[in-house]
Amino acid sequence: MLAFASMTTGAVSAATPARVVSLNLCTDEYLLLTARPGQIASISRLGADEQESPLARQARGLATNSGQLSEVIEQRPDLVLTMGHDPQGVALAARLRIRLIALPYPTSPAAVVAQVQQVAALVGNTPAGTTFAARVAALTASAPKAQPGLMIGGSGLAPAMDGLAAGWLRLAGIAQQQGGQISLERLLVQPPPILIRNVYRRGQLSGPQAWSQHPALRQLRVTQVEADGRAFLCGGAAMPAEIARLRKALAT
Amino acid sequence: MRTGLALLCAVLALASLALGPVDLAALWARDPELARNLFIELRLPRTGLALLIGAGLGASGAAAQALFRNPLASPDVLGPSSGAALGAVLAGYFLGAGVIGMAIGGLAGAGLSLLLLLALAGRGAGATRLVLAGVAVSMLLGVAINLALSLAPSPFALYDLMFWLMGSLNDRSLPQLALAAPLILIGIVLLLRAAPALDTLALGEEVAQSLGVGLSAVQARVVLAIALATGAGVAVAGSIGFIGLIVPHLVRPFVRHRPGAAIAPSALAGAALLSAADIAVRLLPAALDLRLGVLTALIGAPFFLCLIMGRR
């Protein structure tokens, strides 16, 4: 179904593409997980940044782009992957007869699995998609009984209770209690049994960072576990490893 | 008037301490230790910062209008607010500096923007030239902030920066209060000490010089004080505009339009106005998520327009 949901342009070739480009952090991660060595012409610069993606190490030595289709034309890609609504990019790709696939934002772990399998099939490496699907299936089968908890990021923003992040958290044994903006006062007075702190760009100070370092938050006497905010940016290909890590952290 | 404003500040401070998403009295009855922690760690810093930052902006606005002898002069119009925001953004995001680094960046940005303004205007510049130079500096700094935003390390860092620039006192901490308070207070004291000289300056530069008031010395003292009062506030709370522009106009009729004499009541009125705005932000529906800097701008921009219309 996702194959129909994604937008495809240009001449479709059944042959395995030799030069694949990704313009988006989330499709970067799919590509790094599924493509064979030498098949990636470039990924976005975010995908190669260790502060943005846990898979960035796998991107060492790869060419990067700024996420604009016009920049990668000279790389003569057989296939361009991106994510989200990009009508201008789709129209430009159609004019240039470049095969561009714009995947929709996934809303559940199952949708992520389907997208990884789709990308794996596109790059001619179906087993990589099967392996990922099997890994998520194993995590789902072994998921601990969900207990109430709260994942919260800088500035007190919590992911939606029925969203993608909450779906992955359930596989770690956490049922997201609430979503949206949560004040530090409410958090202190009604603390969740388990607090998952979504840590992103720890080394750089910003408003959200200052919030997450608030002394009151540090005093909260509940189980506190840190999540790798980079993995939750996309909630995609890097999530199985992050869920396994979270399970270990919650068990100790 | 000062007593009335001080009483108003006290009432607003009590309201700020009492109001919040949690009923503090009920919590006190149930869990006194938690209530005490919540009061000290969250309500106290927020209330203290609203009073101090408001006072710093109000006093800075009054002093700027006195120094430049122009009713449109304020930290927002002349550049120190933008300079402080740019300095804090550069220090915080691009140099990876901590809370103290951001404060230093804010102070340096505010001070440098004012020095640039004075250098651009030149020695003995008239009030109009100074304000024109201030508008130019402010625009330049606005462009530099936009450049910093477009060079943000990632789209997510860009959102962080944008929200920070909107200004907020939400969930501020005691260390942030401890950092900003002494700097803002020193700035306000320096401005209060410059008040007699600024009153003399209102008689004209030549008269002031004949009375022993040197323009350069007053300028240097006021620039340093505005940098301290504005820079420290912006570094902790982000950009909060228009307080420095509005407040001196509200109090000046009560001090017989003496610019130096307006500094102390402007500090009190600024503290009251920012505290009231911060209380209003908390009383609005949470779904609106209106930022403090946005609310002060919503109040300040029409006031600014009225000011211009009134002078036609």
Side-chain angles (χ1 to χ4, degrees):
Chain A
M1 193 177 79
L2 280 164
F4 290 105
S6 61
M7 288 181 285
T8 308
T9 64
V12 178
S13 161
T16 301
R19 300 184 60 75
V20 186
V21 163
S22 165
L23 302 174
N24 174 279
L25 172 63
C26 303
T27 48
D28 292 343
E29 292 184 353
Y30 290 164
L31 201 54
L32 289 168
L33 194 74
T34 57
R36 296 180 199 281
Q39 210 176 2
I40 301 175
S42 72
I43 61 168
S44 82
R45 66 175 173 81
L46 295 179
D49 183 343
E50 290 200 15
Q51 293 209 71
E52 300 293 335
S53 172
L55 303 184
R57 282 188 181 185
Q58 291 168 233
R60 278 184 187 160
L62 289 177
T64 60
N65 61 62
S66 63
Q68 301 295 316
L69 181 64
S70 53
E71 188 191 324
V72 300
I73 292 169
E74 63 179 17
Q75 292 173 350
R76 300 184 178 281
D78 305 318
L79 172 66
V80 177
L81 297 173
T82 188
M83 187 173 280
H85 185 60
D86 181 14
Q88 285 181 334
V90 169
L92 179 62
R95 283 201 301 277
L96 298 171
R97 296 190 60 76
I98 292 174
R99 189 184 184 200
L100 180 141
I101 293 185
L103 297 170
Y105 291 112
T107 54
S108 66
V112 171
V113 169
Q115 288 189 341
V116 170
Q117 288 179 311
Q118 183 186 354
V119 172
L122 284 165
V123 300
N125 188 9
T126 310
T130 309
T131 305
F132 184 82
R135 201 170 171 200
V136 176
L139 281 172
T140 307
S142 62
K145 191 182 173 207
Q147 47 186 328
L150 180 69
M151 171 183 258
I152 200 159
S155 297
L157 275 172
M161 291 164 68
D162 56 355
L164 177 61
W168 283 114
L169 284 174
R170 269 193 293 279
L171 301 188
I174 299 293
Q176 178 78 344
Q177 273 185 330
Q178 55 180 314
Q181 185 78 44
I182 292 164
S183 78
L184 209 43
E185 286 198 14
R186 283 242 174 273
L187 201 59
L188 285 182
V189 174
Q190 295 163 343
I194 299 166
L195 184 71
I196 313 272
R197 294 165 64 166
N198 194 10
V199 179
Y200 169 67
R201 285 192 169 256
R202 190 195 303 272
Q204 288 185 327
L205 197 95
S206 64
Q209 283 287 3
W211 188 92
S212 59
Q213 290 163 14
H214 199 290
L217 196 59
R218 289 206 300 266
Q219 285 172 15
L220 209 60
R221 290 196 190 99
V222 297
T223 304
Q224 293 197 35
V225 173
E226 283 192 356
D228 184 347
R230 300 173 304 167
F232 278 92
L233 282 178
C234 287
M239 284 310 295
E242 175 60 9
I243 293 303
R245 195 195 62 77
L246 274 177
R247 278 189 191 178
K248 272 188 194 165
L250 286 163
T252 53
Chain B
M1 184 185 59
R2 286 192 200 183
T3 314
L5 283 172
L7 275 173
L8 180 63
C9 284
V11 170
L12 287 166
L14 286 174
S16 174
L17 289 170
L19 287 170
V22 171
D23 182 346
L24 207 57
L27 182 65
W28 195 276
R30 186 162 53 89
D31 188 341
E33 194 190 339
L34 180 59
R36 193 178 64 86
N37 277 346
L38 190 146
F39 182 81
I40 293 172
E41 297 283 358
L42 291 169
R43 299 272 175 100
L44 207 57
R46 183 171 193 156
T47 305
L49 282 170
L51 289 169
L52 281 167
I53 293 172
L57 291 172
S60 296
Q65 290 176 15
L67 181 67
F68 298 120
R69 280 154 285 156
N70 191 301
L72 298 180
S74 77
D76 318 298
V77 178
L78 297 178
S81 288
S82 308
L86 180 65
V89 163
L90 291 178
Y93 243 109
F94 295 102
L95 306 179
V99 175
I100 293 173
M102 275 183 88
I104 293 169
L107 294 175
L112 287 173
S113 67
L114 281 169
L115 289 175
L116 178 63
L117 162 67
L118 292 172
L120 267 179
R123 273 187 84 83
T128 308
R129 201 163 83 194
L130 275 169
V131 171
L132 282 175
V135 172
V137 169
S138 210
M139 288 174 73
L140 181 70
L141 291 167
V143 171
I145 289 174
N146 285 338
L147 180 66
L149 287 173
S150 61
L151 295 177
S154 77
F156 312 100
L158 172 68
Y159 297 140
D160 285 1
L161 280 173
M162 283 171 66
F163 277 122
W164 182 79
L165 284 170
M166 286 181 198
S168 172
L169 289 171
N170 200 22
D171 294 336
R172 292 305 185 268
S173 65
L174 273 180
Q176 286 175 311
L177 175 63
L179 179 76
L183 299 170
I184 296 173
L185 285 172
I186 291 170
I188 293 172
V189 168
L190 284 175
L191 291 176
L192 290 173
R193 289 180 65 179
L198 288 170
D199 272 339
T200 311
L201 203 58
L203 302 171
E205 282 173 32
E206 286 176 6
V207 177
Q209 271 175 347
S210 70
L211 292 171
V213 175
L215 180 63
S216 301
V218 177
Q219 273 182 349
R221 208 185 319 161
V222 172
V223 163
L224 174 68
I226 293 177
L228 284 169
T230 309
V234 170
V236 169
S239 292
I240 295 171
F242 288 101
I243 299 278
L245 176 68
I246 300 172
V247 160
H249 291 279
L250 295 176
V251 304
R252 204 172 290 124
F254 297 97
V255 293
R256 284 176 283 172
H257 294 275
R258 283 165 53 217
I263 292 175
S266 290
L268 289 168
L273 188 59
L274 191 58
S275 297
D278 188 43
I279 290 168
V281 163
R282 277 180 273 176
L283 293 177
L284 288 168
L288 271 177
D289 194 24
L290 189 63
R291 303 276 156 162
L292 181 59
V294 178
L295 180 67
T296 58
L298 279 175
I299 298 167
F303 183 87
F304 193 75
L305 287 172
C306 289
L307 191 71
I308 294 167
M309 297 290 281
R311 285 175 182 276
R312 283 170 69 182

